Amino acid sequence: MENENIITQLSIFVSNEPGRLAAIAEILKNFNINVKGFNLAESSEFGILRTIVENPDRAFDCIRSKGVIVKKTDIIGIATEDSSGSLFEAAQIMAKAGINVEYGYSYTGKDSDQLFVRVNDTEKAIKVLKEAGVKLIKRSELQ
Amino acid sequence: MYWNEKMECMPVEEMRKFQYTGFKSLIEKLYNSNKFYHDRMKSVNVRPDDIRSLDDVRKLPFMYKQDLRDYYPTKLFNVPNTDIIRFHASSGTSGKPTVVGYTENDLNYWTDSLARALTSIGIGDKDILQVSYGYGLFTGGLGLHYGAEKVGASVVPTSVGNTERQLELMQDLDVTAIACTPSYLIHMSDVANKMGIDIKKDTCLKKAVLGAEPWTESMRTKIESTMGIRAYDIYGTSEMAGPMFTECEERDGIHISGDHMYVEILDPETGEILEDGEKGEMVVTMLQKEAFPLVRFKIRDITSLNHDVCECGRTSPRISKITGRSDDMLIIRGINVFPSQIEYTLMRIPEIGNQYMIEVTRDGALDNMRIMVELKPDMFSDKVTDLVRLRMRIESELRKYLEIAAVVELKAPGELPRFEGKAKRVIDKRVF
């Protein structure tokens, strides 16, 4: 059975052309894709839009049908009440377990803050975080 | 299989005699009847009597593209207008187009040349050939059309454009071979993918005759592996008649029929005749043309010659793949760069697609080259560092091969322009 704590993020390639981001946002809008969180990583000549969406499988197919480069990436969502303290705690647990955090971004929700991270070993990270009592977001909570 | 065994396999010395005879009578005719040639020969003090061997051809003055523009449209023609049965015109990239004319014999020689070429790559009466070169003023469509009919192939004259419909016909008519530009074939394959058609599995296509723009071995490998076909290079320009010559099954150079065309390769700097294998500027003389003769025409294509008899048995000399046109050559910070070299390098990088654009700008006294490539969807990493590393790897490959620094930009698939006719992949924004 798939681990319910693994969250699917969609990573979208955005080239450095005026209007490219707007064009992608328009695709999301036209397909009624509900965005729960996003982050734009950029270098000087291109960007990568990372998004958490409702029904990522459908969103993936919709985006790809428009010829846009999109990829599914497994990430973990950490529910936090006090983000700086929790970030420290989670980071320390993973560091001890030898897990590398590749990138992360946060989103302030209604009930809690959410911290999304991409790590080099998702399964192991979920295991050690859960064992340490850190509250992880379930995939179903984002639907 | 030969179409015209006598001419295609004629012993080399006998062919040289044949060429000399043809040359001699051509020069005599032009000296006596054509003011342009008469004046040109007078200007270097050469009379027909001075041509005593094939090597004496070197005494004759060159003809340039500019001559064709200066004598626009038909002032270089050597027959009365009533003998012309067809015109073609080339796209004038700089100024006026050039017009070429054909007598009935001219069309026959041209068609015969293509019949030989198609036969040499095994295209014959069992084949269904889709001609996706433009029909009209461009010589590609009609040229291939008549050549293919001559060998008894069934022609599907689709011309360029309406790609979905072309693919539908390709499937429904069991097309076995296609003639078009390499960039159009790649475009077709992209469109086929979008329509859910796998050219390899869902069509009967086996062969492609590709030309009208320079392309590289690495592009050939890509085309052949993705479409499951064999691709052959075809060469010719409207001044010569149109597309005329192809590789044979050996694919080790393009066979130039000696009875149609005499080729010299010159050092572009010194003008000296180069040895076999040395790359230089091609100069051509058409030995049979009536309406629009061409003597020592500087065609501006860069290639080398090979006079060794080919494995296929043909004795005609072969030219290597055209690596560029001296007109296309870019000089970037003093270094000569052919777009084909850039293409060659790019095609060997698996993470990027087949489309690319080159943009040259000038910042003060410095030339800058920007090369835009499309990322392949399945090669996308969502980590910035991976993509930056890919970009740097492409840049370093280009630097290794071209010895100049270019800035590479990664684009999403479909963002770069597609070309249905001749691809225009270089944008030179410099002002000199």
Side-chain angles (χ1 to χ4, degrees):
Chain A
M1 201 188 123
E2 265 188 281
N3 192 323
E4 59 171 9
N5 291 118
I6 295 178
I7 291 165
T8 304
Q9 167 194 275
L10 298 185
S11 310
I12 301 166
F13 178 76
V14 189
S15 63
N16 184 19
E17 286 290 319
R20 194 62 201 157
L21 185 59
I24 288 166
E26 196 184 356
I27 293 171
L28 298 176
K29 182 185 131 233
N30 289 347
F31 283 112
N32 281 321
I33 295 168
N34 196 358
V35 177
K36 294 283 186 177
F38 80 92
N39 159 265
L40 184 64
E42 52 147 42
S43 82
S44 58
E45 71 274 4
F46 58 83
I48 297 168
L49 180 67
R50 299 172 180 139
T51 62
I52 315 281
V53 297
E54 260 181 27
N55 198 347
D57 291 332
R58 175 186 158 260
F60 178 82
D61 290 341
C62 294
I63 296 167
R64 203 173 50 170
S65 74
K66 289 288 167 188
V68 172
I69 298 189
V70 56
K71 182 184 171 141
K72 290 180 193 168
T73 314
D74 290 342
I75 58 165
I76 304 169
I78 300 168
T80 64
E81 277 140 31
D82 150 24
S83 52
S84 59
S86 314
L87 173 61
F88 171 71
E89 193 194 356
Q92 211 178 29
I93 294 162
M94 288 191 285
K96 269 190 195 152
I99 293 161
N100 206 358
V101 177
E102 288 170 353
Y103 57 78
Y105 50 97
S106 68
Y107 173 72
T108 306
K110 270 202 301 270
D111 310 320
S112 71
D113 289 355
Q114 295 165 345
L115 179 66
F116 296 105
V117 289
R118 161 86 176 147
V119 296
N120 62 344
D121 187 341
T122 312
E123 302 270 353
K124 189 174 169 193
I126 290 170
K127 188 165 168 282
V128 295
L129 288 169
K130 273 176 130 174
E131 279 168 7
V134 175
K135 187 168 173 263
L136 297 182
I137 296 162
K138 287 182 191 146
R139 193 190 312 202
S140 54
E141 291 173 60
L142 295 166
Q143 299 304 310
Chain B
M1 268 278 282
Y2 307 108
W3 180 257
N4 185 338
E5 190 169 352
K6 178 167 174 268
M7 281 302 168
E8 292 177 69
C9 302
M10 186 179 273
V12 176
E13 270 316 305
E14 204 178 311
M15 177 52 77
R16 278 182 68 85
K17 273 182 211 144
F18 186 93
Q19 288 180 315
Y20 169 67
T21 315
F23 222 111
K24 182 90 180 168
S25 65
L26 174 70
I27 294 304
E28 272 166 7
K29 192 168 72 186
L30 292 177
Y31 187 81
N32 294 324
S33 65
N34 187 300
K35 186 169 171 355
F36 170 81
Y37 287 98
H38 186 90
D39 292 350
R40 277 286 159 97
M41 283 172 69
K42 272 213 145 162
S43 72
V44 292
N45 247 332
V46 176
R47 298 172 47 83
D49 295 348
D50 297 320
I51 308 297
R52 291 183 208 101
S53 73
L54 199 52
D55 289 340
D56 283 339
V57 166
R58 294 170 203 179
K59 294 177 180 167
L60 294 164
F62 295 119
M63 232 176 123
Y64 300 88
K65 292 212 169 169
Q66 189 58 42
D67 291 328
L68 272 50
R69 289 194 269 271
D70 291 348
Y71 292 83
Y72 176 85
T74 59
K75 295 188 194 83
L76 292 177
F77 287 14
N78 207 44
V79 296
N81 271 347
T82 47
D83 289 355
I84 304 277
I85 62 168
R86 197 195 298 166
F87 288 108
H88 279 287
S90 77
S91 51
T93 37
S94 46
K96 282 226 177 261
T98 51
V99 169
V100 291
Y102 305 77
T103 64
E104 193 177 350
N105 282 335
D106 288 337
L107 288 182
N108 289 339
Y109 289 129
W110 181 19
T111 299
D112 177 67
S113 177
L114 281 164
R116 292 184 202 180
L118 292 172
T119 305
S120 79
I121 56 176
I123 293 179
D125 56 7
K126 290 187 183 59
D127 283 286
I128 299 162
L129 179 78
Q130 183 162 343
V131 179
S132 305
Y133 277 120
Y135 277 67
L137 287 172
F138 177 57
T139 51
L142 286 170
L144 261 304
H145 182 101
Y146 285 103
E149 283 189 351
K150 189 87 184 170
V151 299
S154 321
V155 178
V156 187
T158 46
S159 193
V160 179
N162 205 344
T163 308
E164 282 93 353
R165 177 134 179 76
Q166 295 224 13
L167 284 158
E168 216 174 275
L169 281 169
M170 179 187 281
Q171 281 191 298
D172 296 347
L173 295 176
D174 293 339
V175 166
T176 59
I178 188 166
C180 59
T181 60
S183 50
Y184 189 60
L185 187 59
I186 288 169
H187 175 67
M188 282 183 100
S189 153
D190 286 350
V191 174
N193 281 343
K194 279 197 194 117
M195 292 164 70
I197 299 171
D198 181 348
I199 290 185
K200 201 186 260 187
K201 293 199 199 98
D202 307 330
T203 73
C204 301
L205 196 70
K206 290 283 166 295
K207 287 174 181 176
V209 187
L210 306 177
E213 67 193 22
W215 56 303
T216 54
E217 278 306 322
S218 34
M219 195 179 242
R220 163 145 53 196
T221 312
K222 261 196 173 176
I223 287 173
E224 294 193 335
S225 62
T226 52
M227 298 178 216
I229 58 171
R230 265 170 86 80
Y232 302 87
D233 200 5
I234 184 166
Y235 177 69
T237 71
S238 64
E239 298 93 344
M240 285 157 47
M244 290 185 86
F245 309 110
T246 62
E247 301 168 309
C248 63
E249 283 289 3
E250 301 296 324
R251 304 200 298 184
D252 185 20
I254 294 161
H255 282 275
I256 304 292
S257 309
D259 54 325
H260 286 130
M261 185 163 102
Y262 179 72
V263 178
E264 301 164 82
I265 306 289
L266 306 184
D267 183 321
E269 304 286 320
T270 64
E272 272 170 46
I273 303 271
L274 294 176
E275 298 287 312
D276 267 21
E278 289 183 312
K279 276 200 170 159
E281 199 180 335
M282 179 156 61
V283 172
V284 304
T285 298
M286 302 309 293
L287 296 169
Q288 316 235 23
K289 278 180 83 180
E290 295 176 340
F292 174 47
L294 216 53
V295 176
R296 298 204 88 202
F297 179 61
K298 284 207 167 193
I299 213 153
R300 296 269 173 223
D301 283 335
I302 304 285
T303 184
S304 64
L305 261 182
N306 177 4
H307 281 93
D308 295 345
V309 173
C310 182
E311 291 284 319
C312 73
R314 290 177 183 80
T315 52
S316 44
R318 284 164 285 160
I319 54 168
S320 61
K321 226 171 189 336
I322 305 294
T323 50
R325 196 157 260 204
S326 48
D327 293 345
D328 291 343
M329 188 178 75
L330 291 164
I331 302 175
I332 313 281
R333 300 189 184 187
I335 295 170
N336 297 349
V337 178
F338 286 103
S340 60
Q341 295 175 299
I342 295 173
E343 180 186 303
Y344 179 80
T345 312
L346 296 177
M347 291 298 144
R348 289 188 303 172
I349 296 167
E351 289 92 339
I352 56 177
N354 293 324
Q355 305 290 340
Y356 64 94
M357 286 294 290
I358 301 165
E359 190 186 84
V360 189
T361 50
R362 176 162 285 189
D363 182 13
L366 276 187
D367 298 325
N368 292 311
M369 186 158 67
R370 197 160 70 105
I371 297 173
M372 286 154 279
V373 297
E374 287 182 359
L375 197 58
K376 271 196 194 157
D378 47 343
M379 297 290 185
F380 171 52
S381 157
D382 82 326
K383 277 182 261 167
V384 174
T385 44
D386 286 349
L387 293 182
V388 170
R389 219 174 283 143
L390 169 64
R391 194 206 73 212
M392 283 163 60
R393 203 177 86 225
I394 303 170
E395 287 175 355
S396 100
E397 284 292 310
L398 288 164
R399 196 160 41 237
K400 243 192 302 185
Y401 196 67
L402 305 172
E403 293 169 0
I404 67 148
V407 174
V408 168
E409 239 176 71
L410 302 177
K411 299 280 174 198
E415 273 193 287
L416 296 178
R418 262 59 178 170
F419 302 96
E420 299 201 330
K422 288 195 187 202
K424 289 188 187 69
R425 301 190 193 277
V426 181
I427 304 167
D428 196 339
K429 290 184 169 169
R430 293 175 294 181
V431 181
F432 291 99

